[in-house]
Amino acid sequence: MTQYEIAVIPGDGIGPEVVEAALRVLKECETRYGLKINYTFHDFSADLYRRTGRKITAADMDEIGKADAVLFGAMGLPDVRGPEGLELGAQVEMRAHYGLFSSLRPVRLFAGVESPVKAKNVDMLVIRETSEGMFAGLADEHEPSNESASDRMTITRATCEKLFDVAFSQARARRKRGTPGHVTLLHKSNALRSNVLMEKVFDEVAAKNDDIGSAKFYIDAGSMYMVTDPERYDVVVTENIFGDIVSEIAAGLVGGLGVAPSADVSLTHGVFQPSHGSAPDIAGQGIANPTAMILSAAMMLEWLGERREDDDCAKAAQSIQGAVESALATGPRARDLGGTAGTQEVVDAVVRALPA
């Protein structure tokens, strides 16, 4: 039996609540499917920074990076900001430190969940580049000014090649479970020099993967199509800040961020967290929807299973996904999905739906 070491960072707001919910499901899977997982907890929350001035360091990340994966809740508080005026978020530092160039953000319209658009079969994977793009200059020297400010967008061939390899690989894997097997690039090469390079590299990688269909749209038109015709998309890949935006549009199509998981991965490291934020306005009330966090935990098990060729891990991941789907179809449903259930009721329903 393989033992997995998981670093857990609950974070702020509803982060600790949804992490606790996901851990309950994971521990149930340990019992049912013979997994062995050891959890190590770390506090690098914005609240810690507010109280002590301490935030995550390179040494901290080196230590955390020894784990097999990181399970991350939600981080950040609107009124807690660093000297440069930005909200605290250890996930940004971890993306840079571990080279997490690809954020996988699947969205699927589950039975029992209403969509605000006229579509019945929304099932797409948005892949957001997370190491460069419009976030490339976060560590640049910055002179505070009330008159002007700028941010740097940088695109490199090396990162684009890795990113698009992941996109076509994911499309090929998804096709095995019934999706079209198609990759769409959303870009802005008509106005941004960096995106001219991105488009060129995409065309090169697409030519090497001609068994998978591909398309390209400018980000503005592509965002419109996401709302007017979401069923056209299978795998969507795009630049950092574009991906940040369109992944939330995609989540809105399937019930919101409460059902939107994510995985920030490199070739060696993985950080798994819900797409939603810390939602401090509802923290401590027991009403947060834990579904996205639970699905993120399932993505973690799937990733570990692939890396270790561990069938038990893969089975547990599939069981969690199926249990979530069953619980959403029958209820009870969380409040953000139109129901009345609190966090604990949702977790109970998912645990009950886990196959023996």
Side-chain angles (χ1 to χ4, degrees):
M1 182 186 299
T2 302
Q3 176 168 310
Y4 295 98
E5 299 292 332
I6 304 301
V8 182
I9 305 178
D12 297 291
I14 62 172
E17 299 170 55
V18 296
V19 163
E20 182 180 355
L23 290 177
R24 182 181 166 206
V25 175
L26 285 171
K27 289 173 182 177
E28 189 69 29
C29 288
E30 289 182 64
T31 300
R32 297 190 186 206
Y33 311 122
L35 302 182
K36 190 170 180 58
I37 304 175
N38 184 52
Y39 303 96
T40 303
F41 292 81
H42 304 268
D43 181 9
F44 294 108
S45 60
D47 184 60
L48 177 72
Y49 178 81
R50 175 166 53 190
R51 291 184 282 108
T52 69
R54 170 148 162 66
K55 63 178 183 178
I56 199 165
T57 66
D60 295 324
M61 289 184 282
D62 285 341
E63 185 62 30
I64 291 169
K66 295 175 184 177
D68 294 299
V70 179
L71 197 63
F72 197 109
M75 188 170 292
L77 297 170
D79 61 334
V80 180
R81 296 174 181 260
E84 71 290 334
L86 302 178
E87 281 192 37
L88 273 291
Q91 61 269 51
V92 177
E93 283 89 343
M94 287 194 294
R95 286 168 183 162
H97 191 82
Y98 301 136
L100 306 176
F101 64 89
S102 178
S103 184
L104 310 178
R105 302 187 174 192
V107 298
R108 184 152 66 100
L109 184 59
F110 293 101
V113 178
E114 292 187 8
S115 173
V117 299
K118 295 179 180 179
K120 296 181 180 179
N121 186 30
V122 181
D123 186 349
M124 74 177 82
L125 171 66
V126 177
I127 303 181
R128 170 194 177 189
E129 195 286 316
T130 45
S131 65
E132 47 188 43
M134 189 57 103
F135 284 52
L138 285 178
D140 292 353
E141 288 189 18
H142 174 71
E143 291 293 333
S145 170
N146 289 325
E147 303 303 323
S148 68
S150 63
D151 291 288
R152 171 168 62 88
M153 176 182 280
T154 297
I155 299 294
T156 67
R157 168 176 287 276
T159 296
C160 283
E161 287 176 343
K162 291 189 296 183
L163 181 74
F164 299 146
D165 282 344
V166 168
F168 281 93
S169 176
Q170 287 288 326
R172 195 171 287 111
R174 284 168 57 84
R175 185 167 61 187
K176 292 180 181 178
R177 68 167 179 81
T179 74
H182 189 276
V183 180
T184 302
L185 172 68
L186 300 184
H187 64 102
K188 196 63 177 172
S189 69
N190 59 328
L192 298 172
R193 290 185 295 270
S194 59
N195 279 223
V196 173
L197 175 60
M198 174 174 267
E199 182 185 16
K200 179 180 180 180
V201 177
F202 180 80
D203 289 340
E204 293 171 2
V205 176
K208 296 176 183 177
N209 292 271
D210 57 4
D211 61 311
I212 299 295
S214 64
K216 302 179 293 185
F217 298 118
Y218 293 140
I219 184 64
D220 41 3
S223 298
M224 178 191 69
Y225 295 146
M226 190 165 282
V227 175
T228 59
D229 185 19
E231 293 170 317
R232 73 165 61 209
Y233 290 126
D234 182 10
V235 174
V236 175
V237 63
T238 189
E239 179 272 336
N240 201 329
I241 203 163
F242 295 160
D244 195 13
I245 295 167
V246 298
S247 63
E248 300 217 0
I249 294 173
L253 303 174
V254 299
L257 294 173
V259 292
S262 77
D264 290 355
V265 298
S266 70
L267 301 179
T268 56
H269 289 78
V271 177
F272 301 84
Q273 66 181 109
S275 294
H276 62 67
S278 61
D281 57 320
I282 62 169
Q285 300 178 37
I287 61 174
N289 185 353
T291 303
M293 185 77 249
I294 294 170
L295 288 172
S296 297
M299 291 183 74
M300 180 184 74
L301 293 181
E302 182 177 29
W303 184 75
L304 290 170
E306 290 173 355
R307 286 175 56 80
R308 299 286 189 89
E309 297 183 347
D310 186 338
D311 291 339
D312 290 333
C313 241
K315 178 182 178 181
Q318 293 169 0
S319 296
I320 293 173
Q321 292 166 356
V324 167
E325 185 171 358
S326 177
L328 286 171
T330 60
R333 297 186 191 92
R335 300 186 184 194
D336 59 322
L337 298 179
T340 60
T343 308
Q344 195 60 49
E345 292 173 87
V346 174
V347 179
D348 289 343
V350 173
V351 170
R352 284 196 303 270
L354 286 171

